[in-house]
């Protein structure tokens, strides 16, 4: 795909110090003294939710500070302009974010930040630099990556670090879509774990917040800060916007209103409502997700990425009914997984979309069975209820949505998801389904990006999914394989400007191509 001749990933990383863990680059580890003369940017920079004319940027300082912002379309900052400064205060854990507006489409945007100590205005940080490219207003080649599941099952930052992030960065995507389980707030880390072959996994970095399950607001914030201590994560963040959604582990495993922590001695706070509220605040403080005035904590949204692509981010967690048998015959608040407001929004936005491809980013797959009680295989955690029959429970909302997409003549919907910790390609075929009132579509699954590898899961046949590809642990390998086993996955998507074809590749962390398919767009009659 085309890139500006004046911008290369290598020279930008070198000039911004995005990889080096040094104070000069603003990426030092967070162990500071007030005696230090200069403020420090503790966790790099992030950008996100970029469209043709706007994009969100984020950073965090080590003390109360005024953050000055310069924006430029050149790496040299020769034509830079300044924005009003932001104040980093303790009530937001010293994190700040800013929506950049009035940008030019299809343009490289460089932003440079400096921090001024609010207690000593003569103390000024070294600058830190980030980059993103705005969405096009005309047809051009588009590339994006997606995956999910970061620092799960006790696999933290080892000597290698989160290598899959570096592999993604090597492809210079326009954006990275993180499909949920962006942190594991319920996954404490220990220094050392003995693997099956007798070797040791050693977590090189552990913070206090990662030694226990998150309960307080500061502990939830600490989950995000931990991930950004990884060199590869910060390097990708510095050059590529991340579009985020959330799932369960941003709060705790399989959470819904029916979750009962009474017998879980790890938690002194037993209220799911309070834990999820704290987690949601940390999610919005520590990421470059957009703020929605109509619903300040909202995660579902649409990002318009030019005439070839619209991305619709779903939230399958916030509005669901309680996890249970999932066998209701009608749509009720108890059987919902999207909720009535989100369904209405999605139908309206899909109907209004003029983009060739409508990517539906779901934090959980449609046809894979995910049990709430995995040991006894009871209770639905995702959409599928495992009975292979007519649509029931949460499947009813999805059936209604798929019927609407067909009846409204909405073309070229493709679903991208994660959650199950392996990679797969599914083709949903109404001819093989129990519910048949929909047009065929593809669903691609990827992840983990840095967590334990599991699977495979059973496929529920309500919507007729055909398994086209799978890469998961073998019975001999077992479950919860560490990242060092190599079964860490991401997907790479290319949309060609001339043909408008979408090519989807399933990749592993060593950059091996595991599966590839090219989809032709269906033209409206």
């Amino acid at each position: 795909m085309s890139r500006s001749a004046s911008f290369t990933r290598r020279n930008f990383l070198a000039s911004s110090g995005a990889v080096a863990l040094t104070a000069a680059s603003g990426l030092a580890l967070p162990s500071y003294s007030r005696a230090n003369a200069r403020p420090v940017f503790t966790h790099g920079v992030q950008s996100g939710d970029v469209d043709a004319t706007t994009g969100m940027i984020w950073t965090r300082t080590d003390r109360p500070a005024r953050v000055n912002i310069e924006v430029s379309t050149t790496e040299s900052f020769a034509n830079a302009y300044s924005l009003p400064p932001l104040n980093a205060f303790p009530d937001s854990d010293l994190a700040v974010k800013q929506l950049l507006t009035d940008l030019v489409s299809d343009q490289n945007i460089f932003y440079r930040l400096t921090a001024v100590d609010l207690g000593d205005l003569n103390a000024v940080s070294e600058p830190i630099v980030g980059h993103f490219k705005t969405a096009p207003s005309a047809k051009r080649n588009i590339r994006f990556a997606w995956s999910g599941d970061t620092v799960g099952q006790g696999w933290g930052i080892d000597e290698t670090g989160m290598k899959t992030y570096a592999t993604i960065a090597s492809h210079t995507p326009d954006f990275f879509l993180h499909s949920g389980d962006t942190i594991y707030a319920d996954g404490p880390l220990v220094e050392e774990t003995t693997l099956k072959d007798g070797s040791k996994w050693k977590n090189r970095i552990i913070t206090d917040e990662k030694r226990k399950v998150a309960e307080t607001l500061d502990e939830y914030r600490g989950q995000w800060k931990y991930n950004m201590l990884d060199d590869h994560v910060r390097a990708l963040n510095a050059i590529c916007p991340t579009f985020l959604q959330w799932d369960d582990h941003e709060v705790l495993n399989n959470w819904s209103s029916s979750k009962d922590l009474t017998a879980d001695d790890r938690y002194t706070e037993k209220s799911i409502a309070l834990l999820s509220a704290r987690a949601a605040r940390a999610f919005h403080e520590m990421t470059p997700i957009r703020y929605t005035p109509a619903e300040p904590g909202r995660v579902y949204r649409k990002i318009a990425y030019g005439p070839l692509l619209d991305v619709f981010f779903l939230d399958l967690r916030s509005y669901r009914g309680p996890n249970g048998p999932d066998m209701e015959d009608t749509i009720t608040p108890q059987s919902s997984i999207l909720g009535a407001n989100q369904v209405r929004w999605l139908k309206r936005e899909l109907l209004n979309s003029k983009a060739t491809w409508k990517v539906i980013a779901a934090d959980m797959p449609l046809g894979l069975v995910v049990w709430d009680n995995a040991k006894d295989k009871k209770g639905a955690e995702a959409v599928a209820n495992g009975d292979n029959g007519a649509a029931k429970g949460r499947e009813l909302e999805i059936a209604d949505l798929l019927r609407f997409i067909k009846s409204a003549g909405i073309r070229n919907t493709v679903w991208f998801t994660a959650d199950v910790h392996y990679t797969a390609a599914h083709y949903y075929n109404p001819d093989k389904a129990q519910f048949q009132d929909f047009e065929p579509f593809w669903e691609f699954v990827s992840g983990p990006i840095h967590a334990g590898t599991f699977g495979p899961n059973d496929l529920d046949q309500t919507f007729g999914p055909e398994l086209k590809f799978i890469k998961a642990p073998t019975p001999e390998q077992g479950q919860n394989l560490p990242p060092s086993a190599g079964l860490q996955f991401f997907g790479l998507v290319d949309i060609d400007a001339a043909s408008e074809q979408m090519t989807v590749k399933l990749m592993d962390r060593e950059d091996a191509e595991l599966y590839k398919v090219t989809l032709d767009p269906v033209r409206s009659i």
Side-chain angles (χ1 to χ4, degrees), residues 187-198:
L189 299 180
V190 296
E191 277 78 5
E192 188 174 281
T193 300
T194 302
L195 304 179
K196 290 182 180 180
D197 64 1

Side-chain angles (χ1 to χ4, degrees), residues 338-413:
L338 291 166
N341 289 338
Q342 186 175 187
V343 169
R344 281 193 294 269
W345 165 85
L346 181 57
K347 287 179 178 179
R348 181 181 68 250
E349 294 297 331
L350 285 169
L351 190 62
N352 291 336
S353 174
K354 304 301 182 186
T356 303
W357 292 99
K358 291 88 173 169
V359 161
I360 301 177
D363 47 291
M364 305 194 80
L366 297 182
L368 287 173
V369 180
V370 183
W371 299 111
D372 186 46
N373 179 347
K375 180 180 178 181
D376 299 324
K377 293 188 175 182
K378 290 184 178 180
E381 158 65 3
V383 174
N385 55 30
D387 79 338
N388 297 301
K392 293 181 180 178
R394 292 170 178 165
E395 295 168 341
L396 292 169
E397 273 189 341
I398 302 303
D400 173 67
L401 175 62
L402 297 179
R403 182 190 296 112
F404 171 82
I405 290 172
K406 176 184 176 181
S407 63
I410 298 167
R411 310 296 184 189
N412 307 317
T413 60

Side-chain angles (χ1 to χ4, degrees), residues 74-214:
T74 63
E75 193 174 347
S76 67
F77 283 85
N79 64 345
Y81 63 90
S82 298
L83 297 178
L86 301 174
N87 291 317
F89 286 139
D91 62 350
S92 62
D93 198 27
L94 305 171
V96 294
K97 59 184 183 180
Q98 172 74 47
L99 184 67
L100 305 185
T101 61
D102 301 319
L103 305 177
V104 177
S105 66
D106 205 18
Q107 177 71 62
N108 283 310
I109 302 296
F110 299 88
Y111 54 98
R112 182 166 60 194
L113 311 176
T114 53
V116 180
D117 191 328
L118 286 174
D120 178 4
L121 298 182
N122 293 315
V124 182
S125 74
E126 292 288 339
I128 189 169
V129 179
H131 163 267
F132 62 85
K133 190 172 186 177
T134 51
S137 57
K139 291 182 181 179
R140 72 155 164 85
N141 295 347
I142 295 171
R143 170 174 290 175
F144 69 90
W146 95 95
S147 188
D149 316 307
T150 301
V151 187
Q153 292 73 50
W155 311 115
I157 303 170
D158 65 338
E159 287 299 323
T160 301
M162 300 191 209
K163 184 178 179 180
T164 314
Y165 280 88
T167 308
I168 291 172
S170 72
H171 290 277
T172 58
D174 289 295
F175 60 87
F176 169 53
L177 194 168
H178 201 308
S179 301
D181 292 340
T182 47
I183 58 170
Y184 275 72
D186 57 335
L189 299 180
V190 296
E191 277 78 5
E192 188 174 281
T193 300
T194 302
L195 304 179
K196 290 182 180 180
D197 64 1
S199 63
K200 302 287 187 180
W201 173 279
K202 296 182 179 180
N203 286 316
R204 177 172 55 90
I205 301 173
I206 303 180
T207 59
D208 288 343
E209 295 94 339
K210 289 298 296 183
R211 294 182 184 276
K212 65 179 291 294
V213 297

Side-chain angles (χ1 to χ4, degrees), residues 264-291:
D264 193 333
D265 294 337
R266 301 177 304 164
Y267 288 89
T268 57
E269 178 53 64
K270 306 296 185 180
S271 169
I272 295 298
L274 183 55
L275 292 173
S276 61
R278 290 170 175 166
R281 176 170 170 176
F283 177 79
H284 283 268
E285 286 178 337
M286 293 295 159
T287 69
I289 188 173
R290 284 179 185 256
Y291 173 80

Side-chain angles (χ1 to χ4, degrees), residues 410-431:
I410 298 167
R411 310 296 184 189
N412 307 317
T413 60
V414 186
W415 294 64
F416 292 89
T417 187
D419 181 65
V420 290
H421 294 240
Y422 66 91
T423 190
H426 304 140
Y427 180 72
Y428 285 79
N429 186 346
D431 293 336

Side-chain angles (χ1 to χ4, degrees), residues 203-374:
N203 286 316
R204 177 172 55 90
I205 301 173
I206 303 180
T207 59
D208 288 343
E209 295 94 339
K210 289 298 296 183
R211 294 182 184 276
K212 65 179 291 294
V213 297
E215 299 177 85
T216 68
L217 177 58
D218 281 341
E219 288 168 350
Y220 279 111
R221 289 163 168 164
Q223 310 298 309
W224 293 97
K225 290 187 285 187
Y226 179 82
N227 289 1
M228 288 182 280
L229 296 179
D230 181 80
D231 295 352
H232 306 311
V233 171
R234 290 192 318 279
L236 179 64
N237 287 346
I239 65 165
C240 174
T242 300
F243 298 172
L244 293 124
Q245 56 196 142
W246 77 339
D247 191 34
D248 58 331
H249 290 286
E250 285 80 1
V251 181
L252 58 90
N253 186 46
N254 295 356
W255 72 274
S256 74
S257 60
S258 62
K259 190 75 171 182
D260 185 0
L261 295 175
T262 302
D264 193 333
D265 294 337
R266 301 177 304 164
Y267 288 89
T268 57
E269 178 53 64
K270 306 296 185 180
S271 169
I272 295 298
L274 183 55
L275 292 173
S276 61
R278 290 170 175 166
R281 176 170 170 176
F283 177 79
H284 283 268
E285 286 178 337
M286 293 295 159
T287 69
I289 188 173
R290 284 179 185 256
Y291 173 80
T292 304
E295 186 183 349
R298 201 169 91 179
V299 174
Y300 71 85
R301 64 206 188 279
K302 168 191 165 185
I303 303 293
Y305 210 82
L308 295 179
L309 177 64
D310 281 342
V311 186
F312 304 86
F313 295 87
L314 304 188
D315 180 355
L316 302 179
R317 188 58 55 178
S318 301
Y319 314 102
R320 65 169 55 200
N323 286 358
D326 197 31
M327 297 296 288
E328 294 88 353
D329 292 321
T330 58
I331 298 175
T332 67
Q334 286 69 39
S335 70
S336 291
I337 191 165
L338 291 166
N341 289 338
Q342 186 175 187
V343 169
R344 281 193 294 269
W345 165 85
L346 181 57
K347 287 179 178 179
R348 181 181 68 250
E349 294 297 331
L350 285 169
L351 190 62
N352 291 336
S353 174
K354 304 301 182 186
T356 303
W357 292 99
K358 291 88 173 169
V359 161
I360 301 177
D363 47 291
M364 305 194 80
L366 297 182
L368 287 173
V369 180
V370 183
W371 299 111
D372 186 46
N373 179 347

